[in-house]
């Protein structure tokens, strides 16, 4: 029992981080209606600012740095903490002024992708600006211990829990007991009424952003020595924090704080249970990371009807859609261009071309699900990875031949997609994005990072062959064979044409009707539930085919092949290309990770290390300035040009027509 209690208290350090992030998410949502996925990234920056200051006295800024000491004489801990917390507050204020204020009335999709883009941007910037491999957190809190019911408890863990409770209490007092806080809640619901009473909703929201940014930075800095420095972990602490915030219905600071603390302790108890062999070996790895996903699902299903939401649940505001039409000449030209790119490239460039073709199919799955059906999903790469790992078992262990193995593996991803899509029957918008991101992290931890399912050397995948023809990716020194590249092109072309047929037909119209207004779609006889699940199924199948092709192109798969960060980057590029158009998927494939755009940056411009930063930065600019993406902007410019040309070429009205018009007036 003493050991059990010890693990319960050990989890308070991580739980305190969850709790403060959760309270901050509740505050930001109350002030702006936005669910900020970048909340953990603010803490990430603060943690590394303090670590750098205490290591060599360098105050690292997004651009440039200031020397405030040296390795022998670094600045004091108090100054370092103040600067770290202040930098987190500045990032939060920047997020409000430059990103989320312009998107206040934008579609939920734009807000979600901007939030994800900010998260990616800060994490990429941390990797570039800080020496993350050689920086370590130093202790700030006392290292004393006390005895509680026979368990040895760190005083620092109790202090962290106390800080989390204090932050929740202060935010509660601000929103419930101060005039500014009450006005902030009122302004988030009715901006015009707030302005008429003399309050500025933007200024009130900025105060909340600064307060929550500082709170996240503070708890991150205080807990860093206990939980360690990891740029990915801090970024994704937002998922369990979102789970805790949803338990509090995105409205209760106390419940969100308590849920965060309990979640941290529960994850620690799972580690204790692992040490006692309570769970079988295959279930031990990643089980703690799967808990937030379960909490999110339960919270949204049980409390979904009482969780506040902006706008009507029946209507979804999204960018305009361009209905695809299969035309012979453009199709032949695009395929011919792809063939030429394959034939006339070699080595890394051909690998980039093939990767771009595969990524365009995964991006197309997002176009179908998010652009056409309006379901915001952040788990496409998880579906692709699930199919890739299933293919490894089917092709290597059970010798299922190509293409049957690929189709069967894609059906595994389809089943997983339908399972993840079930919450979409009740959950919409940003909350669905929370569910899918939590699912992606759970799949990554519980499946991809599970030693029982994924050995350290990776999962081997047998080369594809058809009618005795070897379609393997490598031959001798050739990085990508011509046969394999053409096989990928054929598979992607077939899938793309089938999806375009679906989008342009009755099913596509049903998808758009559900996206536009679920109640109106149901009133004309469309089965909304079946349509949503069909969209998730087709999208997951496409992503699964793409994951299988990635597996074939690598020859083996490991946990690094399908990380959540790669999936978010693909989403970013799809949004930049145009989330509602097939051509946007092609643009996304070209600019996607390890694609042609990456090869160009890496080999020609030697800027490969800046790829993630550039991708996230472009996403932020697109979300704020051009929500329709590159393809949408081109289509709008083309339509405008056609309109202008038609007006200029129209015959001038005759004199009789002018007289009749004047007489009518």
């Amino acid at each position: 029992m003493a050991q059990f209690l010890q693990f319960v208290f050990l989890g308070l350090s991580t739980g305190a981080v969850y709790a403060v992030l959760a309270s901050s998410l509740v505050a930001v949502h109350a002030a702006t209606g936005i669910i900020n996925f970048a909340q953990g990234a603010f803490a990430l920056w603060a943690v590394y600012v303090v670590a750098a200051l205490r290591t060599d006295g360098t105050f690292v800024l997004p651009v440039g740095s200031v020397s405030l000491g040296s390795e022998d004489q670094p600045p004091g801990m108090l100054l370092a903490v103040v600067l770290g917390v202040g930098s987190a507050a500045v990032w939060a204020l920047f997020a409000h002024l430059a990103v989320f204020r312009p998107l206040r009335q934008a579609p939920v999709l734009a807000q979600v992708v901007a939030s994800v883009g900010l998260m990616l941007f800060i994490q990429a910037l941390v990797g570039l600006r800080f020496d993350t491999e050689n920086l370590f957190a130093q202790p700030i809190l006392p290292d004393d211990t006390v005895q509680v019911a026979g368990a040895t408890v760190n005083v620092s863990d109790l202090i962290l829990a106390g800080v989390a409770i204090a932050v929740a209490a202060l935010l509660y007092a601000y929103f419930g007991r101060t005039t500014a806080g009450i006005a902030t809640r009122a302004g988030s619901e009715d901006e015009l009424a707030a302005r008429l009473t003399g309050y500025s909703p933007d200024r009130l929201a900025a105060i909340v952003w600064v307060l929550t940014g500082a709170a996240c930075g503070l708890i991150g800095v205080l807990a860093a020595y206990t939980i360690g420095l990891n740029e990915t972990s801090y970024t994704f602490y937002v998922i369990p924090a979102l789970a805790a915030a949803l338990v509090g219905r995105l409205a209760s600071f106390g419940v969100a704080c308590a849920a965060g603390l309990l979640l941290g302790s529960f994850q620690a108890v799972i580690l204790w249970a692992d040490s006692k062999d309570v769970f079988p070996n295959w279930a031990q790895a990643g089980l703690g990371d799967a808990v937030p996903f379960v909490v999110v699902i339960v919270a949204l299903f049980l409390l979904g009807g009482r969780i506040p939401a902006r706008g009507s649940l029946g209507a979804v505001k999204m960018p305009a859609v361009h209905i695809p039409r299969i035309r012979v000449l453009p199709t032949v030209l695009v395929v011919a261009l792809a063939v030429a790119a394959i034939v006339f490239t070699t080595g890394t460039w051909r690998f980039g071309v093939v990767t771009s073709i595969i990524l365009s199919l995964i991006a197309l799955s997002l176009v179908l699900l998010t652009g056409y059906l309006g379901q915001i999903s952040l788990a496409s790469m998880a579906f692709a990875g699930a199919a890739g790992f299933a293919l490894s078992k089917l092709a290597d262990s059970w010798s299922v031949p190509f293409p049957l193995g690929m189709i069967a593996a894609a059906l595994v991803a389809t089943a997983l997609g339908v399972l993840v899509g079930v919450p979409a029957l009740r959950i919409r918008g940003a909350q669905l994005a929370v569910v899918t991101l939590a699912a992606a992290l759970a799949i990554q931890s519980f499946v991809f990072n599970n030693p029982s399912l994924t050995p350290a050397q990776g999962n081997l995948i047998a080369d594809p062959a058809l009618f005795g023809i070897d379609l393997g990716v490598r031959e001798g020194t050739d990085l990508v064979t011509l046969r394999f590249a053409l096989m990928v092109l054929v598979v992607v072309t077939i899938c793309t044409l089938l999806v375009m047929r679906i989008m342009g037909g009755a099913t596509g119209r049903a998808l758009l009707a559900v996206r536009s207004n679920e109640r109106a779609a149901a009133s004309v006889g469309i089965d909304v539930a079946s349509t949503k699940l069909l969209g998730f199924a087709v999208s997951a199948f496409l992503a699964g085919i793409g994951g299988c092709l990635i597996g074939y192109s690598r020859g083996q798969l490991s946990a690094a092949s399908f990380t959540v960060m790669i999936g978010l980057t693909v989403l970013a590029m799809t949004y930049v290309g145009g989330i509602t158009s097939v051509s946007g998927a092609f643009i996304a494939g070209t600019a996607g990770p390890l694609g042609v755009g990456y090869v160009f940056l890496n080999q020609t411009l030697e800027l490969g290390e800046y790829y993630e930063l550039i991708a996230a930065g472009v996403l932020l600019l697109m979300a704020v300035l051009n929500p329709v993406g590159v393809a949408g902007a081109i289509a709008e410019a083309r339509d405008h040009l056609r309109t202008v040309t038609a007006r200029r070429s129209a015959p001038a009205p005759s004199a009789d027509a002018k007289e009749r018009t004047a007489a009518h007036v």
Side-chain angles (χ1 to χ4, degrees):
M1 187 63 182
Q3 190 180 44
F4 172 81
L5 286 176
Q6 187 167 343
F7 272 85
V8 169
F9 283 105
L10 281 174
L12 289 178
S13 55
T14 306
V17 177
Y18 297 165
V20 172
L21 291 179
S23 298
S24 300
L25 288 166
V26 171
V28 169
H29 187 270
T32 64
I34 291 172
I35 296 179
N36 181 29
F37 290 85
Q39 203 72 39
F42 301 154
L44 172 69
W45 184 271
V47 165
Y48 275 101
V49 164
V50 174
L53 282 168
R54 293 293 294 164
T55 299
D56 57 13
T58 302
F59 181 30
V60 179
L61 302 172
V63 178
S65 60
V66 178
S67 179
L68 299 179
S70 63
E71 293 186 13
D72 297 329
Q73 292 183 330
M77 182 62 77
L78 178 60
L79 177 59
V81 171
V82 169
L83 291 176
V85 172
S87 65
V90 171
W91 269 115
L93 182 61
F94 168 81
H96 168 64
L97 296 177
V99 180
F100 294 112
R101 186 174 66 176
L103 295 175
R104 190 76 175 267
Q105 304 300 326
V108 174
L109 174 62
Q111 296 175 353
V112 170
V113 297
S115 182
V116 170
L118 182 62
M119 178 181 70
L120 294 174
F121 185 85
I122 295 176
Q123 179 172 330
L125 195 60
V126 166
L128 291 172
R129 299 292 297 137
F130 295 93
D131 184 9
T132 56
E133 296 294 329
N134 298 311
L135 288 179
F136 303 95
Q138 297 182 13
I140 300 176
L141 302 177
D143 60 355
D144 300 331
T145 60
V146 295
Q147 296 294 317
V148 179
T152 302
V153 179
N154 295 320
V155 173
S156 60
D157 295 336
L158 298 177
I159 293 175
L160 289 171
V163 171
I165 295 172
V167 168
L170 290 173
L171 288 175
Y172 169 78
Y174 177 78
F175 278 94
R177 297 290 185 267
T178 68
T179 304
I182 296 172
T184 301
R185 285 187 181 274
S188 68
E189 298 292 342
D190 191 335
E191 292 187 20
L192 180 59
R195 293 184 186 279
L196 290 177
T197 56
Y199 289 100
S200 169
D202 289 334
R203 190 176 298 113
L204 293 172
I207 294 173
V208 174
W209 278 101
V210 171
L211 290 176
T212 56
C216 293
L218 176 62
I219 197 66
V221 169
L222 293 179
Y225 180 73
T226 303
I227 62 180
L229 289 186
N230 187 296
E231 50 192 301
T232 303
S233 296
Y234 270 90
T235 302
F236 287 124
Y237 280 156
V238 72
I239 298 303
L242 282 166
L246 290 173
V247 171
R249 306 178 195 174
L250 288 172
S252 173
F253 295 103
V255 175
C257 177
L261 292 172
L262 288 174
L263 183 55
S265 293
F266 186 66
Q267 288 178 323
V269 168
I270 291 178
L271 293 177
W272 171 80
D274 286 345
S275 66
K276 300 297 182 181
D277 293 328
V278 174
F279 304 108
N281 291 334
W282 63 267
Q284 292 181 8
L287 186 60
D289 292 329
V291 171
F293 172 62
V294 177
V295 173
V296 166
I297 294 296
V298 172
L300 288 175
F301 260 84
L302 295 182
L303 307 174
R306 291 175 286 175
I307 291 177
R310 297 295 192 273
S312 171
L313 293 178
V316 179
K317 186 181 178 183
M318 296 279 285
V321 170
H322 299 278
I323 306 298
R325 295 288 183 265
I326 299 177
R327 297 181 176 86
V328 176
L329 183 58
T331 301
V332 171
L333 289 176
V334 171
V335 173
L337 180 62
V339 171
I342 291 171
V343 172
F344 293 107
T345 55
T346 58
T348 305
W349 279 100
R350 180 182 288 176
F351 181 82
V353 171
V354 171
T355 301
S356 289
I357 294 173
I358 298 172
L359 290 179
S360 68
L361 183 62
I362 299 177
L364 185 61
S365 73
L366 288 168
V367 170
L368 173 71
L369 183 61
T370 302
Y372 264 67
L373 188 55
Q375 306 302 302
I376 305 175
S377 174
L378 306 181
S380 60
M381 196 55 71
F383 301 148
F389 281 90
L391 177 65
S392 174
K393 302 297 183 183
L394 291 168
D396 191 63
S397 301
W398 298 344
S399 301
V400 179
F402 174 86
L404 296 179
M406 180 175 66
I407 295 173
L411 290 176
V412 172
T414 302
L416 186 61
V418 172
L419 181 63
V420 174
V422 169
L425 303 182
R426 186 170 180 178
I427 302 165
R428 300 163 179 85
Q431 295 169 10
L432 181 59
V434 174
V435 171
T436 55
L437 182 56
L441 282 171
I443 293 170
Q444 175 179 298
S445 300
F446 195 65
V447 179
F448 301 163
N449 291 329
N450 193 329
S452 300
L453 302 175
T454 308
Q457 68 273 19
N459 287 287
L460 298 177
I461 296 181
D463 288 336
L466 186 63
F467 303 124
I469 302 174
D470 181 13
L471 301 175
V473 63
R474 290 178 181 83
E475 186 176 72
T477 59
D478 198 354
L479 186 61
V480 180
T481 63
L482 183 62
R483 293 189 301 273
F484 176 81
L486 293 176
M487 181 273 289
V488 169
L489 178 60
V490 170
V491 171
V492 172
T493 300
I494 293 173
C495 291
T496 301
L497 292 176
L498 290 176
V499 172
M500 291 177 66
R501 182 69 185 88
I502 291 174
M503 290 178 172
T507 302
R509 291 192 293 272
L511 296 175
L512 291 175
V514 171
R515 187 193 89 148
S516 177
N517 191 301
E518 293 182 17
R519 295 188 180 96
S523 68
V524 297
I526 296 175
D527 190 332
V528 174
S530 298
T531 302
K532 283 186 175 182
L533 293 180
L534 176 63
F536 271 94
V538 176
S539 175
F541 183 83
L542 294 174
I545 294 293
C548 292
L549 294 176
I550 290 176
Y552 282 133
S553 70
R554 308 296 193 267
Q556 69 174 24
L557 292 179
S558 64
S561 302
F562 300 97
T563 65
V564 174
M565 297 305 299
I566 293 176
L568 294 178
T569 304
V570 172
L571 170 67
M573 291 296 94
T574 306
Y575 191 85
V576 169
I579 195 70
T580 59
S581 65
V582 176
S583 56
F586 297 154
I587 296 172
T590 302
L594 301 181
V596 174
Y598 174 83
V599 174
F600 175 74
L601 279 176
N602 190 43
Q603 292 201 353
T604 304
L605 302 181
E606 297 183 351
L607 296 175
E609 61 178 333
Y610 298 98
Y611 171 78
E612 292 183 357
L613 186 69
I614 294 173
V618 173
L619 172 61
L620 287 173
L621 291 176
M622 282 291 180
V624 175
L625 302 177
N626 182 32
V628 297
V630 174
I634 294 174
E636 289 181 352
R638 184 177 63 246
D639 293 342
H640 177 72
L641 182 62
R642 288 175 178 174
T643 301
V644 172
T645 303
R647 288 177 179 175
R648 290 179 178 177
S649 60
S654 61
D656 293 339
K658 292 181 179 180
E659 291 178 359
R660 287 195 298 270
T661 301
H664 177 72
V665 174

